[in-house]
Amino acid sequence: MAQKGIREYDAKRMLARAVGEYSGGRFRFDDRLALVGPGTNLDTLDKEHPWLTATRLVVKPDQLFGKRGKNNLLLLDADLKAAKAWIAERMGKEVTVEGAGGKTTGALTHFLIEPFVPHDAEYYLAFTSSREVDTIHFSPRGGVDIESVWDTVVSVDVPVLADPMKVEILSKLPDIPEKEDVAAFIRTLYRTYVDYHFTYLEFNPIAFSRGRLLPLDTVARLDDTAAFQCADKWGPIEFPRPFGRPMTKEEAYVESLDAKTGASLKLTLLNPDGRVWLLVAGGGASVIYADTVVDLGFGSELANYGEYSGDPSTELTYEYTKTLLDLMTRKPDPQGRPKYLLIGGGIANFTDVAKTFTGIIQALDEYKDKLKKNRVKIYVRRGGPNYKEGLENMRRLGERIGVPLEVYGPETHMTRIVSLALEEAQR
Amino acid sequence: MNQDYELFTAQTKAFIYGEQLRAAQRMLDFDYLCRREEPSVTALITPERGGFEKLFWGTKEIRIPRITSLAEAASRFPEADVLVNFASQRSAYDVTVEALGVPTIRTVAVIAEGIPERQSRRMAAMAKAQGKWIIGPATVGGVKAGCFKIGNAAGTMENIRTAKLYRPGSVGFVSVSGGLSNEAYNIVARATDGLNEGIAIGGDAYPGSTLLDHLLRFEKNPAIRLLVCLGEVGGTKEYEIAEAVKGGRITKPLVMWVTGTCAKVLPGQVQFGHAGAKADSAAETADAKNAALREAGVIVPDSFDDYGRKIREVYERLVAEGIIVPAPEVTPPNVPIDYAQARAEGLVRRPTNFISTICDERGDVHTYCGVPIDRVIEKKYGIGGVIGLLWFKKEIPPHAREFIEMVLQIIADHGPAVSGAHNTIVAARAGKDLISSLVSGILTIGPRFGGAVNGAAEHFLYGLRNGLSPRQFVDEMKKRNVRIQGIGHRLHSLENPDARVELMKAFAREHFRATPLLEYALAVEQVTTQKKGNLILNVDGCIGVLLVDLLTELNFTDEEIDEMIRAGLFNAFFVLGRSIGLIGHYFDQVRLEQGLYRHPLDDILYDVPKAPEKIG
């Protein structure tokens, strides 16, 4: 949902197509691009992309992280043989990269190969969006950390209702060669930015050579909710996961459950040794439960973030709960302390609480021995249609399986069970 | 015209865009609970269908028009100034833009999730330029206590009663999340004299109206004394609230909490449930926002756990200072609940008018007599097995299935000249459709056409059950002047047997436990063929007696067998099998483009009296 980073390969592929079309052939972006993934056969690569043997090449990882030059992950001016060797040496290897958000470690899986182009100047160009305007940022000093030369950046705000092709750019540009062409080219790129539902597009640098702009490093985000309008424009597109966060098996399983249904099932494992586990209904409520655990000083004990919502079927809630209980009961706390399962949620609008509890109850029943072995205490709080029956079923389950279980309804503040559990944990 | 800070009053009229009868009913129920004089839903805008819809107003039904276009609705009902837009993700933008262009529409609530950000931004800019309001997208809407509610906002009637939304209190509440609004309304109801207005702006990155927009509206509304707000990690709009408080644009006490403080312990780039809930910079974190708000003078709890307590503290202070005079309690009228809901809650019961014991289509997979259809296919029940399930309610053994299918194949057709096929052909040639042609053929099936199977079964059963020897049986039938059904063939004889009969006999003798009625019929055949060589057990007779033997094989009692024969079981096999042939004849005639059939006059004897008999 919403803004998603895409590969540099996909961004350049789309731009190459759009720039030619929107400028009536006046401008073009190079469409000689090759993406190498774990399944790519390097030996036959030049059959598919004959240009690989005809030009000098640039190779870099294409996995949504920048500063590849600084991180020593950029191969310039190489021939195909060197390029292949460079990729083969790095494919599947773990690297630690330093970026704006600190250090991230992950495996290299995708590389972009494109022609190496000697050029005259390097500019900075970016398009960003905020509520009322899009902003075009341009600086004649590209290829450096743009924050360090921000005073050279000119910014043009374009109101969201303006016609992209009538945007006045020329008069705002600093003194650079062939200004008219550059302005017209930027306008073409801006129209693409709008029409293709980009939410962020940054070229740092974009080179200037013989009257043409050439994107070197490109960072792009698309609004994936526009897929229904842009399927043809985008072509086959993949939204890769952020670098360095491989999913656990369980997270991947929950994601596959989520993909099967209109309902929502989310699981992020934070600390498998944590003692506070959340099984919360609702996107908004789930955040608040996690917040409250953190705000009450138990952030280090928070095992997971997750939510289920949108009326998932009994089978899905059962599978989801089982996945969570399996993670929770793999081994008892080394110091023998209890663990806490918070089955929480707000007052539902129209979800039948008793019905959604059915799958949870089935899973809890199945895990009763492991729950006891792990000294699990369960706290339930929920409201909404049929909540009395749902809560009563939970209460009876607790008695039947002999696991300590406290049940609260809408008369109790939503996050009260968090403080109840944590007070008990402190004792 | 309403005051500019008042989007909804007890006179507000609205259109609902989309097939949202339940939402419309919930709005009417709310209106009724609030003792509104007139319903708030003026019309349903449903491009695919006009007419009207019956909905409840209390216990009685009223008609709500369905109108196929917004333009027409607006010209017929200029008093409606709210559009509750339930159009899908794909069309919500177009509908909203159209609504913003209608002069009489002032507020559009956009429910759909997943509207592209650029479209949301454009809608917001258009609304702002025209001084109109958008609530949403991706929201459940909002509620004006005692006045008006948008679509499904505020949940069930029980929630609405608990949160006292049927009469206005002193609190203006606005949140990002719609899912949490019920929770918040309850917190407010427990801590104060209740909600005056509650709005959920929606979880997208670019809502059509912002938290601040609504807080400023509440600030201007003299009925609202206390502001309560629930923000969210991501974006920077909450800083504008801090600025508005610092700058004196918001002077009423504001209790606010920004959710998402857990983001600091989560790995980077976790997208929470809402599209807008993601911090891209330090300033967008919940901690930073809560700190800035606190510094600006907003009342910020230490955690959500304290939210209700803080609201109560401020409320009690305002009451003590005389700023709030607690809203008087009122007793709302009773709103009847729907039958379906009452039944789900175990409050009502009703005898059923229908009963079915052979199948059930209510689950994920339909079942035939308890067997899911996918298993029917997987386990190769075949037509015979399905007939076993749906006609006999038994899982019948493979040889029984095979025998039934054999019968159907044999019965499927008997040439174009017999009455059924003839009727179908004549009807087809008269230009009638498949069903009419098929049915005109089927309608001939009965005692004379296709009835021999039935008759044979009855005759031989009579003989066998009454202990008549074959000779006695033949004699008695002769004495009663009844021709034994299922005996006799035009061409075949004992020496020149009918291959179909031979096959059935061989199959039954090999697979059935016993074939008593067949053996009896064959003994009778021994008697009749002594008289004439072609008085053999024919194919109808063989099917009739073997079907009876099959029923015995399937553990039916004599009484049950008689009951099924009376109910037309043999005709059932005949109709089913012969329909295959009749349909074939229909297609054949259509393909051959045969014209209207008219019977030749020389094939009709005209013997009409010169004049009718005169009576009286």
Side-chain angles (χ1 to χ4, degrees):
Chain A
M1 56 200 297
Q3 308 188 6
K4 292 268 176 71
I6 58 169
R7 293 194 199 285
E8 187 167 351
Y9 166 80
D10 282 317
K12 286 180 169 171
R13 172 178 64 75
M14 286 180 205
L15 291 169
R17 178 180 151 179
V19 162
E21 188 188 324
Y22 287 175
S23 68
R26 179 174 169 196
F27 304 117
R28 56 177 287 266
F29 260 10
D30 210 330
D31 62 357
R32 291 177 294 173
L33 302 158
L35 181 68
V36 176
T40 310
N41 184 350
L42 285 173
D43 297 332
T44 57
L45 202 57
D46 55 332
K47 298 275 184 300
E48 209 179 321
H49 304 283
W51 54 269
L52 284 171
T53 50
T55 175
R56 305 292 290 174
L57 302 170
V58 178
V59 189
K60 54 192 173 183
D62 191 358
Q63 293 177 249
L64 309 192
F65 64 84
K67 300 202 170 20
R68 288 162 292 197
K70 268 189 197 152
N71 283 302
N72 232 346
L73 288 168
L74 183 62
L75 178 66
L76 291 173
D77 196 10
D79 63 11
L80 181 60
K81 192 170 161 231
K84 283 181 182 173
W86 194 85
I87 291 173
E89 198 180 309
R90 285 163 182 79
M91 180 65 84
K93 293 269 158 54
E94 285 228 332
V95 294
T96 299
V97 295
E98 220 164 314
K103 286 185 180 178
T104 316
T105 301
L108 296 177
T109 55
H110 287 81
F111 297 86
L112 173 65
I113 313 178
E114 52 190 343
F116 175 75
V117 186
H119 48 271
D120 311 330
E122 291 191 346
Y123 298 149
Y124 173 85
L125 176 64
F127 303 89
T128 60
S129 293
S130 58
R131 186 176 172 80
E132 290 174 6
V133 296
D134 295 322
T135 308
I136 303 170
H137 309 271
F138 180 86
S139 163
R141 300 203 36 200
V144 296
D145 179 6
I146 197 65
E147 300 290 340
S148 66
V149 292
W150 195 251
D151 53 345
T152 67
V153 175
V154 288
S155 295
V156 183
D157 282 345
V158 186
V160 68
L161 294 177
D163 178 349
M165 288 316 277
K166 293 194 179 132
V167 178
E168 169 50 35
I169 294 165
L170 183 61
S171 64
K172 314 272 177 45
L173 288 182
D175 234 357
I176 49 170
E178 299 175 72
K179 238 168 113 165
E180 287 79 8
D181 274 354
V182 172
F185 205 125
I186 290 175
R187 194 156 48 220
T188 304
L189 284 174
Y190 176 59
R191 184 176 159 198
T192 311
Y193 177 81
V194 171
D195 272 15
Y196 278 59
H197 285 267
F198 281 95
T199 59
Y200 184 81
L201 184 59
E202 183 189 48
F203 306 99
N204 187 20
I206 190 162
F208 186 71
S209 175
R210 280 171 282 151
R212 280 175 55 197
L213 285 170
L214 305 157
L216 298 185
D217 274 357
T218 306
V219 178
R221 287 204 296 266
L222 288 179
D223 178 358
D224 74 346
T225 58
F228 70 90
Q229 291 186 320
C230 293
D232 288 346
K233 290 191 176 91
W234 290 353
I237 183 106
E238 179 202 6
F239 295 101
R241 293 178 60 75
F243 181 69
R245 279 210 63 231
M247 268 191 290
T248 64
K249 200 173 98 241
E250 293 78 14
E251 286 169 332
Y253 179 61
V254 169
E255 195 179 89
S256 75
L257 294 179
D258 183 69
K260 271 191 227 160
T261 150
S264 168
L265 297 163
K266 302 264 181 302
L267 175 65
T268 304
L269 190 59
L270 303 175
N271 172 13
D273 298 326
R275 290 192 295 137
V276 182
W277 293 74
L278 299 178
L279 179 56
V280 180
S286 62
V287 177
I288 294 184
Y289 274 91
D291 282 356
T292 309
V293 174
V294 174
D295 296 339
L296 297 181
F298 277 75
S300 60
E301 290 284 7
L302 182 60
N304 71 307
Y305 167 74
E307 61 117 359
Y308 66 95
S309 59
D311 213 2
S313 70
T314 296
E315 195 194 335
L316 283 174
T317 34
Y318 166 74
E319 288 296 328
Y320 180 77
T321 309
K322 243 175 49 174
T323 309
L324 195 73
L325 294 182
D326 177 55
L327 286 166
M328 184 178 186
T329 59
R330 281 195 186 161
K331 55 174 195 288
D333 180 64
Q335 299 169 49
R337 294 172 299 177
K339 295 183 184 184
Y340 301 92
L341 176 63
L342 305 180
I343 302 177
I347 299 167
N349 279 319
F350 296 105
T351 304
D352 186 322
V353 172
K355 215 179 100 207
T356 53
F357 274 2
T358 312
I360 297 179
I361 288 175
Q362 273 175 22
L364 288 170
D365 207 351
E366 203 175 307
Y367 272 78
K368 54 179 179 262
D369 296 331
K370 287 188 166 179
L371 290 170
K372 279 184 251 182
K373 209 171 126 201
N374 281 268
R375 300 193 61 204
V376 173
K377 297 196 171 179
I378 302 174
Y379 292 82
V380 183
R381 193 276 186 183
R382 187 80 162 118
N386 230 352
Y387 77 92
K388 283 180 191 145
E389 189 190 331
L391 295 181
E392 184 53 32
N393 292 344
M394 277 286 183
R395 205 186 331 264
R396 269 190 264 131
L397 169 86
E399 285 166 14
R400 190 170 72 240
I401 64 176
V403 171
L405 188 148
E406 293 182 24
V407 172
Y408 301 90
E411 67 290 342
T412 304
H413 188 70
M414 187 175 90
T415 49
R416 179 75 185 118
I417 58 168
V418 180
S419 37
L420 283 173
L422 299 184
E423 278 159 23
E424 141 87 35
Q426 259 161 334
R427 242 181 272 130
Chain B
M1 184 69 186
N2 303 339
Q3 294 287 339
D4 61 350
Y5 53 77
E6 213 52 300
L7 296 182
F8 316 111
T9 69
Q11 284 75 45
T12 294
K13 296 275 189 177
F15 299 126
I16 294 182
Y17 190 101
E19 286 289 343
Q20 290 288 334
L21 299 180
R22 293 181 71 178
Q25 184 62 62
R26 283 167 182 151
M27 287 173 70
L28 294 184
D29 286 347
F30 179 80
D31 296 346
Y32 188 81
L33 186 77
C34 298
R35 298 187 192 274
R36 266 182 66 127
E37 285 172 16
E38 290 182 12
S40 62
V41 181
T42 307
L44 306 168
I45 300 171
T46 50
E48 285 171 13
R49 188 147 79 83
F52 66 89
E53 200 63 50
K54 285 188 305 177
L55 292 173
F56 282 106
W57 178 253
T59 51
K60 82 172 208 248
E61 284 183 289
I62 55 172
R63 293 203 304 173
I64 302 287
R66 280 176 172 269
I67 302 176
T68 52
S69 81
L70 177 58
E72 189 195 335
S75 75
R76 277 174 60 186
F77 300 103
E79 67 274 25
D81 70 348
V82 175
L83 176 72
V84 182
N85 179 3
F86 276 103
S88 72
Q89 171 203 22
R90 287 165 181 269
S91 53
Y93 173 76
D94 292 334
V95 171
T96 304
V97 171
E98 188 193 350
L100 291 173
V102 174
T104 50
I105 301 279
R106 180 176 175 231
T107 306
V108 184
V110 187
I111 310 301
E113 279 188 45
I115 294 180
E117 291 182 357
R118 185 160 294 277
Q119 293 189 332
S120 297
R121 293 164 64 211
R122 292 178 62 90
M123 294 190 304
M126 286 179 222
K128 191 178 173 193
Q130 300 179 49
K132 296 189 174 189
W133 286 82
I134 289 175
I135 297 172
T139 182
V140 69
V143 59
K144 176 86 180 169
C147 294
F148 177 79
K149 130 182 151 82
I150 295 170
N152 294 319
T156 59
M157 210 30 77
E158 190 188 345
N159 281 322
I160 291 168
R161 284 175 185 280
T162 320
K164 294 181 187 161
L165 297 176
Y166 46 80
R167 60 112 181 94
S170 311
V171 176
F173 172 81
V174 59
S175 67
V176 173
S177 167
L180 274 174
S181 48
N182 271 342
E183 189 65 39
Y185 298 165
N186 274 272
I187 293 173
V188 168
R190 277 194 296 273
T192 71
D193 68 344
L195 196 75
N196 183 282
E197 182 175 343
I199 298 285
I201 62 165
D204 279 0
Y206 300 110
S209 52
T210 64
L211 297 174
L212 178 62
D213 291 335
H214 292 284
L215 289 175
L216 291 175
R217 217 160 47 72
F218 298 160
E219 169 75 18
K220 282 193 252 171
N221 185 343
I224 293 176
R225 301 289 183 172
L226 168 57
L227 310 180
V228 180
C229 183
L230 194 58
E232 207 169 68
V233 60
T236 55
K237 299 301 286 179
E238 285 83 353
Y239 291 102
E240 294 176 9
I241 298 173
E243 287 306 311
V245 171
K246 271 198 237 169
R249 288 196 295 150
I250 293 177
T251 59
K252 294 177 181 173
L254 167 61
V255 181
M256 178 161 177
W257 175 248
V258 179
T259 73
T261 52
C262 64
K264 55 184 173 280
V265 305
L266 302 186
Q269 301 236 11
V270 168
Q271 172 82 57
F272 292 120
H274 294 148
K278 196 172 95 180
D280 287 325
S281 67
E284 296 188 16
T285 63
D287 284 342
K289 293 197 220 181
N290 280 322
L293 288 164
R294 195 175 285 127
E295 198 215 290
V298 175
I299 302 142
V300 179
D302 294 327
S303 78
F304 185 81
D305 218 24
D306 279 338
Y307 195 51
R309 255 192 305 262
K310 277 281 188 270
I311 297 169
R312 178 187 296 276
E313 271 173 36
V314 179
Y315 171 77
E316 282 172 357
R317 177 167 59 82
L318 292 172
V319 172
E321 289 169 2
I323 295 170
I324 288 180
V325 179
E329 280 310 325
V330 298
T331 309
N334 199 32
V335 178
I337 58 174
D338 284 345
Y339 174 75
Q341 188 198 340
R343 201 190 51 186
E345 291 177 13
L347 298 175
V348 292
R349 61 188 183 189
R350 188 172 71 83
T352 53
N353 283 316
F354 284 95
I355 178 169
S356 163
T357 67
I358 60 169
C359 60
D360 188 344
E361 82 280 26
R362 291 169 305 172
D364 280 353
V365 187
H366 300 184
T367 57
Y368 292 160
C369 201
V371 182
I373 293 180
D374 49 2
R375 233 196 80 187
V376 168
I377 303 297
E378 238 169 65
K379 300 282 171 198
K380 298 196 172 21
Y381 275 62
I383 296 293
V386 170
I387 286 176
L389 294 173
L390 291 178
W391 291 11
F392 304 138
K393 301 208 289 173
K394 288 181 193 258
E395 178 152 330
I396 62 176
H399 72 265
R401 298 175 191 175
E402 201 179 323
F403 179 73
I404 287 172
E405 287 172 16
M406 191 186 288
V407 168
L408 292 174
Q409 291 168 61
I410 290 169
I411 288 176
D413 192 60
H414 201 194
V418 297
S419 37
H422 180 79
N423 259 21
T424 292
I425 289 169
V426 172
R429 291 184 59 172
K432 301 293 285 185
D433 59 295
L434 169 70
I435 304 296
S436 307
S437 304
L438 171 62
V439 164
S440 77
I442 287 177
L443 288 176
T444 63
I445 295 172
R448 295 191 182 166
F449 178 53
V453 176
N454 203 0
E458 280 183 4
H459 286 175
F460 291 117
L461 260 182
Y462 169 80
L464 183 67
R465 292 225 187 116
N466 289 296
L468 303 177
S469 72
R471 171 64 66 190
Q472 285 172 318
F473 172 65
V474 172
D475 290 347
E476 181 174 335
M477 296 304 267
K478 189 167 167 56
K479 213 180 295 167
R480 281 165 48 193
N481 221 358
V482 175
R483 207 164 67 85
I484 303 168
Q485 296 281 294
I487 289 286
H489 197 275
R490 225 158 18 91
L491 304 171
H492 294 294
S493 61
L494 279 181
E495 292 71 36
N496 172 25
D498 184 335
R500 298 172 296 178
V501 174
E502 294 306 304
L503 282 170
M504 277 194 283
K505 274 158 47 178
F507 183 88
R509 280 179 168 154
E510 186 185 343
H511 294 287
F512 286 21
R513 279 198 307 270
T515 51
L517 198 59
L518 174 68
E519 302 314 327
Y520 185 74
L522 291 176
V524 171
E525 181 186 53
Q526 288 301 321
V527 176
T528 53
T529 46
Q530 282 166 14
K531 194 174 149 201
K532 206 173 170 201
N534 69 346
L535 288 182
I536 55 164
L537 182 66
N538 62 26
V539 70
D540 292 344
C542 185
I543 290 173
V545 297
L546 280 178
L547 283 175
V548 174
D549 282 338
L550 176 74
L551 295 179
T552 314
E553 177 97 355
L554 300 178
N555 297 335
F556 284 101
T557 64
D558 285 354
E559 290 72 33
E560 286 168 335
I561 291 172
D562 289 344
E563 194 188 336
M564 277 191 280
I565 292 175
R566 274 199 303 280
L569 180 70
F570 297 102
N571 282 340
F573 278 108
F574 195 80
V575 167
L576 182 63
R578 186 54 57 90
S579 291
I580 299 171
L582 297 179
I583 290 169
H585 285 294
Y586 171 77
F587 286 138
D588 191 38
Q589 296 301 310
V590 171
R591 276 192 302 258
L592 295 168
E593 297 182 35
Q594 290 297 289
L596 180 68
Y597 175 76
R598 191 183 165 89
H599 203 68
L601 302 185
D602 61 5
D603 193 40
I604 300 170
L605 167 63
Y606 293 91
D607 182 19
V608 185
K610 290 271 187 287
E613 181 189 356
K614 277 192 178 145
I615 308 288

